[in-house]
């Protein structure tokens, strides 16, 4: 299709959406008691949100590295605050927390070396990524390659290649006669959270970990077609990232890092890594692999596309050669900042719809996270413009959150939600997270709690498709492309909306507050290859991933529309019937897999099933007898109904936490015990059943008692959630 044809098509589509916007109602519905008009602002948001302004925001945000706890962190927090205020928010503040962060020691390079029989370094890693593409004026502020919270010191040993570093990979090594104890493991990024790889490696006896990305995963079109010619990872690109496997400030677990907080000593925090860990580029990993004897070749599926044999080790090719890791990363008390902006509601000022994105990055962070930050600033500007020009305010208060120190373990968002947990548990309606607004340009991806999945789907139907080729194929909205590329196997014609896991700032709202949450953005079939590297910069965003910033614009529109729906709807758009269906399907899957095993060991799903059935009936009754008949003019009745909807998710929070995981307390959705990025449904139960394996009650009575107890807790809390929708006490 020629440029003129595409331009005509886009212009025609824009006109269609303009007319459509007029039809769906850009008009004054009423004037509320405080004198503000009530508008359907969704079409106004579609028109107002600007791709050019998002681009300008991103260019500023990526002009310098902005690692949490640095001078640039504060400067950007203040810059975001100033943008919030100039857009017309009622107030905006920077909120400081003094927390334990981690950095490479100034002037010292962390290295991996091959040491020969004379104790001489035959090879030494560079320790820094070379600049490529458009020059970055602030390159000198980029930190050396490191993994936050790594143990420090020098270790020497032979190399064992452990694939992705999962338990199953070490079990395979064990089957092949490879002992891990006392050796250094070479592990590929991917499959599970990097911090989980280190925990597992230490458990199996490794004395150090070397992390690398194989080009098979992140340079799939060959090593000669990488950034800046494409988005693929170059050979000296190195992924940074935290190794801390628990979220929040390490020294103030479960409580906020405010001035009066009691702080652990660093050595008292058992979840901090003790062994040294260093990430390297795949050009460097290739040299390490070449140094290994291939008496134990790797399984075929473990083999990447580097120009070398993939061998398991630990025997070196040259006798008496070893690998040495020298890490001087240090943990330090530093101050990081959240920026919080508030647009007060006109009717229910004490009910909060929250939007959030983290601001800190390991380097320039164009896609992660600044694509989200740039988009949120534009959402705020658009809402402020509508407020200032139409005498409009949202029905409920909107809170905009720019988090600090997310990359170190969701620290900014965890400290804030811990500080205000009691208030938020009463007043938070929902939290809409956008971590990476644009990590690719193929389709939308979204995750949500069941009550909010319909909200995402319906919002996507209102957003014009940013892809001209998709429009030409008849797919005019974001929804159309999403449904085509990510179809829901159980609901034909609908897109698949995933479940919430971990690894971003929705987690404390989901697992501390118990608020319904979402996370979404544009993506490709896999995560973008230059993630957490020097090459995640403005050039990548503007010239390769999203020319014209139209996908950023689409995400910002969807974010704003979803938030406006939650903030302005008289009755909250929570789909409680979908929650009941989800619980039923999840329990059925558990019954199919484990029912016979439970019965053989004096355990049962009986009460769990009864509670789920009760919940299904309660949601049906509430929908048909309350939601469908409510008098929306009765403010007290509206408030009563909405409060029940808001509080429903809280009933799935167990204040005592899951078995052996007191920091994780949502009985339905929880972060996986073995992967901080993943999630399990009914994780507490699944973890216990995995732990007990094929052992009977006679062989492991302790774990079977935990299983029976947790089944009773699940049944009780789901039953109470059902009861909460009724007017009756019992």
């Amino acid at each position: 299709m020629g440029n003129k044809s595409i331009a005509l098509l886009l212009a025609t589509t824009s006109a269609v959406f303009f007319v459509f916007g007029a039809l769906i109602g850009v008009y004054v519905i009423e004037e509320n008691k405080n004198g503000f008009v009530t508008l359907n602002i969704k079409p106004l948001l579609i028109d107002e949100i600007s791709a050019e302004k998002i681009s300008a925001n991103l260019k500023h945000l990526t002009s310098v590295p902005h690692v949490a706890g640095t001078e640039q962190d504060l400067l950007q927090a203040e810059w975001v605050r100033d943008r919030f205020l100039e857009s017309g928010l009622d107030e905006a503040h920077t909120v400081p927390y003094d927390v334990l962060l981690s950095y490479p020691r100034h002037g010292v390079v962390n290295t991996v070396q091959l040491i020969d029989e004379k104790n001489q370094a035959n090879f030494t890693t560079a320790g820094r990524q070379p600049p490529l593409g458009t020059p970055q004026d602030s390159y000198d502020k980029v930190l050396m390659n490191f993994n936050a919270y790594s143990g420090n010191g020098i270790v020497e040993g032979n190399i064992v290649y452990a694939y992705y570093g999962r338990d199953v990979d070490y079990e395979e090594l064990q089957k092949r006669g490879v002992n891990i104890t006392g050796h250094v493991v070479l592990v590929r990024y991917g499959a599970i959270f990097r911090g989980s790889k280190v925990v597992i490696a230490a458990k199996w006896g490794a004395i150090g970990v070397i992390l690398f990305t194989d080009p098979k995963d992140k340079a799939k079109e060959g090593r000669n077609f990488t950034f800046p010619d494409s988005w693929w990872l170059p050979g000296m690109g190195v992924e940074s990232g935290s190794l801390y496997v628990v979220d929040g400030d390490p020294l103030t677990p479960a409580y906020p890092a405010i001035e009066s907080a009691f702080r652990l000593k660093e050595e008292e925090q058992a979840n901090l890594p003790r062994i040294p860990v260093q990430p390297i580029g795949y050009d460097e990993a290739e040299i390490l692999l070449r140094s290994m004897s291939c008496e134990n070749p790797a399984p075929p599926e473990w083999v990447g596309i580097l120009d070398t044999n993939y061998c398991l080790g630990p025997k070196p090719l040259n006798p008496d050669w070893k690998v040495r890791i020298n890490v001087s990363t240090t943990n330090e008390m530093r101050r990081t900042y959240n920026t919080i902006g508030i647009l007060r509601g006109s009717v229910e000022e004490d009910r909060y719809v929250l939007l959030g994105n983290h601001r800190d990055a390991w380097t320039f962070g164009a896609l992660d996270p600044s694509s989200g930050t740039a988009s949120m600033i534009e959402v705020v500007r658009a809402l402020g413009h509508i407020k200032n020009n139409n005498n409009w305010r949202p029905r409920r208060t909107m809170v905009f959150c720019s988090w600090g120190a997310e990359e170190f373990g969701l620290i900014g968002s965890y400290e804030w939600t811990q500080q205000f947990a009691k208030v938020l548990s009463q007043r938070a309606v929902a939290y809409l997270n956008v971590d990476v607004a644009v990590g690719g340009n193929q389709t939308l991806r979204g995750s949500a709690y069941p009550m909010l999945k319909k909200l995402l789907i319906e919002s996507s139907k209102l957003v014009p498709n940013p892809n001209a080729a998709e429009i030409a194929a008849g797919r005019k909205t974001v929804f159309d492309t999403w449904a085509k590329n990510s179809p829901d196997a159980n609901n034909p014609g609908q897109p698949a909306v995933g479940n919430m896991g971990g690894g971003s700032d929705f987690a404390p709202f989901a697992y501390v507050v118990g608020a319904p949450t979402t996370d979404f953005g544009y993506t490709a079939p896999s995560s973008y290859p230059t993630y957490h590297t020097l090459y995640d910069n403005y050039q990548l965003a503007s010239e390769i991933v999203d020319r014209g910033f139209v996908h950023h614009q689409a995400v910002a529109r969807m974010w704003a529309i979803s938030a406006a729906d939650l903030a302005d709807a008289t009755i909250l758009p929570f789909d409680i019937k979908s929650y009941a269906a989800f619980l039923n399907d999840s329990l059925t899957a558990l019954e199919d897999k484990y029912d016979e095993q439970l019965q053989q060991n004096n355990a049962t799903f009986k009460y769990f099933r009864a509670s789920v059935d009760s919940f299904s009936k309660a949601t049906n009754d509430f929908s048909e007898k309350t939601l469908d008949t409510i008098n929306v003019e009765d403010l007290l009745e509206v408030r009563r109904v909405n409060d029940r909807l808001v509080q429903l998710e809280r009933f799935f929070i167990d204040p005592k936490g899951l078995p052996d995981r007191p920091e994780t307390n949502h009985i339905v959705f929880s972060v996986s015990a073995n992967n901080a990025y993943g999630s399990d449904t009914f994780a507490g139960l699944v973890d216990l059943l995995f732990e007990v394996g094929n052992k009977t009650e006679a062989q492991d009575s302790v774990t079977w008692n935990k299983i029976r107890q947790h089944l009773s807790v699940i049944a009780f809390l789901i039953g109470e959630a059902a009861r909460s929708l009724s007017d009756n006490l019992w």
Side-chain angles (χ1 to χ4, degrees):
M1 182 180 291
N3 292 335
K4 290 184 178 179
S5 299
I6 292 173
L8 179 60
L9 180 62
L10 289 171
T12 303
T13 303
S14 298
V16 168
F17 272 97
F18 177 78
V19 174
F20 179 62
L23 291 174
I24 65 175
V26 185
Y27 57 88
V28 175
I29 300 173
E30 62 182 7
E31 185 174 286
N32 67 34
K33 65 179 183 179
N34 293 323
F36 296 102
V37 297
T38 303
L39 297 174
N40 177 2
I41 67 167
K42 296 175 189 177
L44 296 175
L45 289 166
I46 292 287
D47 290 342
E48 183 61 28
I49 289 173
S50 163
E52 292 77 14
K53 287 184 170 62
I54 295 173
S55 173
N57 291 339
L58 189 68
K59 194 165 190 177
H60 175 85
L61 289 163
T62 57
S63 61
V64 292
H66 40 288
V67 180
T70 64
E71 178 185 5
Q72 291 75 32
D73 182 24
L74 172 58
L75 292 174
Q76 288 212 349
E78 293 175 336
W79 186 81
V80 171
R81 177 201 61 198
D82 293 346
R83 301 292 78 72
F84 283 178
L85 291 172
E86 74 181 18
S87 295
L89 295 191
D90 297 301
E91 55 183 286
H93 309 276
T94 56
V95 184
Y97 294 101
D98 294 322
V99 295
L100 187 73
L101 301 181
S102 181
Y103 307 90
R105 185 168 295 165
H106 182 70
V108 179
V109 180
N110 295 337
T111 60
V112 175
Q113 297 177 309
L114 286 175
I115 304 299
D116 63 22
E117 68 278 2
K118 297 180 180 179
N119 203 36
Q120 299 297 310
N122 187 273
F123 165 73
T124 302
T125 54
R128 196 174 195 193
Q129 301 169 79
L132 300 172
T134 303
Q136 297 283 350
D137 293 338
S138 53
Y139 174 69
D140 61 319
K141 294 184 175 65
V142 175
L143 298 179
M144 301 293 181
N145 300 337
F146 81 114
N147 285 118
Y149 302 113
S150 167
N152 57 26
I154 300 174
V155 296
E156 291 185 5
N158 293 330
I159 302 173
V160 172
Y161 171 52
Y163 197 30
Y164 287 120
R166 303 163 295 187
D167 271 312
V168 67
D169 301 324
Y170 289 102
E171 289 165 3
E172 181 65 27
L173 287 167
Q174 190 176 55
K175 289 177 186 177
R176 292 170 180 260
V178 179
N179 181 26
I180 311 302
T181 303
H183 298 308
V184 171
V185 288
L186 179 64
V187 176
R188 279 161 65 167
Y189 273 120
I192 62 173
F193 174 56
R194 72 187 76 82
S196 301
K197 296 174 188 284
V198 176
V199 171
I200 294 169
K203 180 179 69 176
W204 282 84
I207 61 172
V209 179
I210 303 168
L211 296 170
F212 79 103
T213 301
D214 197 284
K216 185 176 183 179
D217 298 322
K218 296 295 179 73
K220 295 183 179 181
E221 296 185 57
R223 294 165 71 174
N224 294 322
F225 187 57
T226 60
F227 184 85
D229 300 315
S230 73
W231 80 336
W232 298 111
L233 181 68
M236 292 299 287
V238 175
E239 177 184 323
S240 295
S242 174
L243 304 175
Y244 187 52
V245 294
V246 180
D247 295 324
D249 173 36
L251 303 187
T252 58
Y255 294 95
I258 56 179
E259 184 177 358
S260 61
F262 171 80
R263 287 174 166 81
L264 300 175
K265 296 177 181 178
E266 188 176 328
E267 58 271 19
E268 294 173 332
Q269 177 47 268
N271 292 301
L272 289 171
R274 303 296 186 231
I275 61 175
V277 183
Q278 181 61 18
I280 64 174
Y282 61 75
D283 282 354
E284 297 169 320
E286 184 174 69
I287 295 171
L288 298 183
L289 285 167
R290 286 176 180 170
S291 75
M292 299 169 66
S293 172
C294 227
E295 294 177 4
N296 288 320
E301 63 271 21
W302 290 27
V303 175
I305 59 173
L306 290 170
D307 186 19
T308 180
N309 292 322
Y310 284 69
C311 311
L312 299 179
K315 185 177 179 181
L317 187 63
N318 295 306
D320 300 323
W321 281 39
K322 294 185 181 297
V323 67
R324 176 186 293 164
I325 305 177
N326 188 343
V327 171
S328 58
T329 297
T330 59
N331 302 332
E332 305 175 21
M333 291 297 298
R334 294 278 187 99
R335 178 165 290 185
T336 192
Y337 300 85
N338 297 330
T339 298
I340 308 296
I342 296 174
L343 177 59
R344 297 197 181 282
S346 60
V347 179
E348 299 181 68
E349 187 177 345
D350 63 341
R351 292 296 181 264
Y352 310 147
V353 174
L354 301 105
L355 296 78
N357 155 269
H358 76 94
R359 190 184 59 257
D360 64 305
W362 293 114
T363 57
F364 300 103
L367 302 186
D368 181 12
S370 299
S371 64
T373 310
S375 298
M376 182 167 65
I377 291 170
E378 176 58 8
V379 168
V380 170
R381 188 203 63 80
L383 287 166
H385 176 83
I386 294 169
K387 174 183 79 78
N388 295 337
N389 288 276
N390 295 278
N391 192 34
W392 166 87
R393 278 185 178 273
R395 178 186 181 92
R396 302 175 185 89
T397 293
M398 303 179 80
V399 182
F400 303 91
C401 311
S402 174
W403 307 116
E406 186 268 1
E407 295 291 6
F408 287 83
L410 317 185
I411 289 178
S413 57
Y414 254 90
E415 300 316 303
W416 193 78
T417 52
Q418 287 169 346
Q419 183 175 1
F420 300 104
K422 298 299 184 183
V423 171
L424 291 170
S425 67
Q426 295 176 352
R427 302 179 185 178
V429 172
Y431 174 74
L432 308 181
N433 191 68
V434 173
D435 189 321
V436 179
V438 178
N441 53 30
Q442 183 188 64
T443 187
L444 192 79
R445 54 102 192 140
S447 300
Y449 273 4
M451 287 194 294
L452 293 183
K453 290 186 178 184
K454 185 177 180 180
L455 174 72
L456 289 190
I457 291 171
E458 294 304 313
S459 296
S460 72
K461 293 177 180 178
L462 301 179
V463 179
N465 201 319
N467 187 317
E470 287 292 289
I471 295 172
R475 291 181 284 273
K476 293 183 170 57
T477 68
V478 166
F479 168 86
D480 297 327
T481 297
W482 188 14
K484 172 183 175 289
N485 287 315
S486 301
D488 185 338
N490 299 316
N491 294 287
Q494 297 294 310
V497 183
N499 298 324
M500 304 305 291
S504 193
D505 293 301
F506 57 78
F509 288 92
Y511 308 134
V512 174
V513 177
T517 61
T518 69
D519 183 75
F520 56 91
Y522 251 81
T523 190
S526 59
S527 63
Y528 70 97
T530 55
Y531 168 79
H532 282 195
T533 73
L534 176 66
Y535 313 114
D536 183 4
N537 56 27
Y538 185 78
Q539 181 181 2
L540 175 76
S542 62
E543 298 180 18
I544 297 174
V545 175
D546 192 18
R547 294 181 181 179
F549 284 81
V550 291
H551 296 86
H552 285 77
Q553 182 184 43
V555 172
R557 285 169 163 173
M558 184 164 161
W559 204 359
I561 286 171
S562 299
D565 214 357
L566 290 166
D568 266 351
T570 304
I571 302 298
L572 290 169
F574 285 1
D575 185 7
I576 59 174
K577 285 186 176 182
S578 288
Y579 216 137
F582 177 85
L583 292 178
N584 181 70
D585 292 346
S586 299
L587 175 54
T588 298
L590 289 171
E591 288 171 329
D592 291 344
K593 187 172 183 180
Y594 296 111
D595 187 55
E596 183 178 351
Q597 183 184 13
L598 260 63
Q599 291 187 45
Q600 292 172 350
N601 291 278
N602 297 312
T604 179
F605 282 121
K606 174 183 175 181
Y607 303 106
F608 190 167
R609 168 55 67 187
S611 290
V612 169
D613 291 344
S614 175
F615 187 82
S616 295
K617 183 179 185 303
T619 56
N620 280 327
D621 288 348
F622 191 78
S623 297
E624 294 169 6
K625 298 177 182 178
T626 301
L627 294 180
D628 292 348
T629 61
I630 187 173
N631 176 11
V632 296
E633 302 299 324
D634 186 336
L635 291 180
L636 288 177
E637 178 65 7
V638 167
R639 178 74 164 214
R640 182 180 72 86
V641 168
N642 280 335
D643 281 355
R644 291 192 185 182
L645 291 171
V646 165
Q647 290 298 318
L648 184 61
E649 194 73 55
R650 272 65 151 181
F651 279 87
F652 300 118
I653 296 291
D654 182 357
K656 292 186 178 298
L658 301 186
D660 302 320
R661 296 170 64 190
E663 76 284 352
T664 305
N665 53 17
H666 199 294
I667 62 161
V668 182
F669 298 102
S670 291
V671 176
S672 169
N674 299 306
N675 176 15
Y677 282 160
S679 66
D680 287 323
T681 305
F682 297 109
L685 180 61
V686 172
D687 288 345
L688 288 171
L689 289 167
F690 177 82
E691 180 183 337
V692 82
N694 295 320
K695 288 179 284 188
T696 66
E697 182 182 17
Q699 295 168 320
D700 189 353
S701 61
V702 172
T703 303
W704 276 108
N705 272 332
K706 290 180 181 179
I707 290 170
R708 281 188 287 270
Q709 181 183 28
H710 193 55
L711 281 166
S712 73
V713 170
I714 292 172
F716 169 70
L717 292 178
I718 294 176
E720 290 303 291
R723 199 188 317 277
S724 76
L725 295 173
S726 168
D727 289 330
N728 300 321
L729 179 60
W730 56 77

